[in-house]
Amino acid sequence: MTDPSTTRTGTGPASAPAAARRGPVVAALMLGMGLAALDGTIVSTAVPQIVGDLGGLAVFSWLFSGYLLAVTVTLPVYGKLSDTFGRKPVLVTGVVLFLLGSLLCAAAWNMASLIAFRVVQGLGGGALQGTVQTIAADLYPLKERPKIQAKLSSVWAASSVAGPAAGGLLAGYADWRWIFLINLPVGLVALWLICRHLVEPARTAPAARGRIDWAGALCVFATGVLLLTALVQGGVAWPWLSAPSLGLLGGAALLGAVTVAVERRAAEPIIPGWVWRRRTIAAVNLALGALGLLMVAPTVFLPTYAQAVLGLGPIAAGFVLSAMTLSWPVSAALSNRVYTRIGFRRTAILGISGALLVLLAFPLLPFPGEPWQPALLMLLLGAALGLFQLPLIVGVQSTVPYGERGTTTASVLFCRQVGQSVGAAVFGAVANGVLAARLGDGGDLDVLARSLDSPDSLPAATTDLLRRAVDAAVDYVYLGAAGAAALALLVLLVLAPRRFPVLREGAGDGD
């Protein structure tokens, strides 16, 4: 069965990991995805205990930034390596690096060592994210891919939501080091399942394949580090127009030009030119980059809105956000019933159009409003984004043969990660600008949220002023997110082909 898109034949014999071994492999993939998602958020609620033990309050944000940087900049490198050497060795390497980083984090003796070991974790997390998605596409034919992708989406959503609660419980009732030690038994089970049950298709002899473009990999890594450091730290650790920001952005631009020159000359580039020359892949990359942008609004700013404006506690605020994580995987799992009838592009257009309407509706909520109102909008947003993201990922993976699937999947995830970094920087600046205009003396959401944790200590007029300022700031962020959704819609309408050039089922899975 194929999508109602044009169908083309791939090269190489049809081959895929043995279907009989899919169950244990899927379990390993879900465990790996859970580890990567959990460690993106589990540290957040344990920061007070970590800082109290190790010190380093001024640089603790690098516990998150360092992990994010390492995951993002290694995605394209791992994608190319998985296409060249196979998924299994890359995934095994990623799990081992992740577990090593976890063990080292638990043994950290100061904040600098903990940050360094979080980077090691991130180096493994990059392999987990990209390779897990690629293997999922390898394991299942087109008509069954929504099932596995929905499972992975559910694991990601549940782990992301449970992370802060789990971190708080471990830090409060045990020791913050258990946040990292708990990864070891889970990761070891995943590693055993992968080593025992994952069987890949026969591959061409190494001598027949081009050498790895290590120079390109280094250039991609260095460019990503400079760019993402500028985006993550700009406006936080230093002003946007300061020497550090301008120096990092200028260095990223220069290294970017060097990377393009190196990749053009490489026989087997890490980021091959066809990733951007093929309309389908380029369109999906840009559309999911816009998705990364708009996701900053609900994931970063909604919890603060729920606590500062609605007066909810941290757990209740998490439930407001969790409404989106409930509807997203359900919508994704059912999306194949839509795209098999109207196509990948039209399904994604339907989803992002719904998301655009929901994001535009958020600023219309009354002040202060009831918790069910934003929760309902997040439920609708999750349903819309499930129709948007999954058809694009499944669709683009179905347009390339086995030997290009890792690179393609990594490019998509890389663009989404960069979009999130850009969104955090841009929308953070927007929110702080609105707060400065409303309050007159600036401020940021985190400081205001902490002030509103104890509303009885503030005069009623001051509390109301702060809450209205936060409400206005988050409204503008959601308008910005709606702009990102409109950008994704424009990309699909203008750049994406009307029908994805899907490979004939069973073709293109050889190497």
Side-chain angles (χ1 to χ4, degrees), residues 181-194:
L181 291 174
I182 199 173
N183 293 333
L184 299 181
V186 178
L188 288 173
V189 171
L191 187 62
W192 179 79
L193 290 172
I194 293 164

Side-chain angles (χ1 to χ4, degrees), residues 139-163:
L139 283 172
Y140 288 85
L142 175 58
K143 64 181 180 180
E144 297 182 36
R145 281 179 195 157
K147 297 178 182 178
I148 180 60
Q149 292 289 355
K151 290 179 181 178
L152 294 177
S153 296
S154 300
V155 170
W156 184 274
S159 299
S160 298
V161 172

Side-chain angles (χ1 to χ4, degrees), residues 138 275 292:
D138 294 340
V275 167

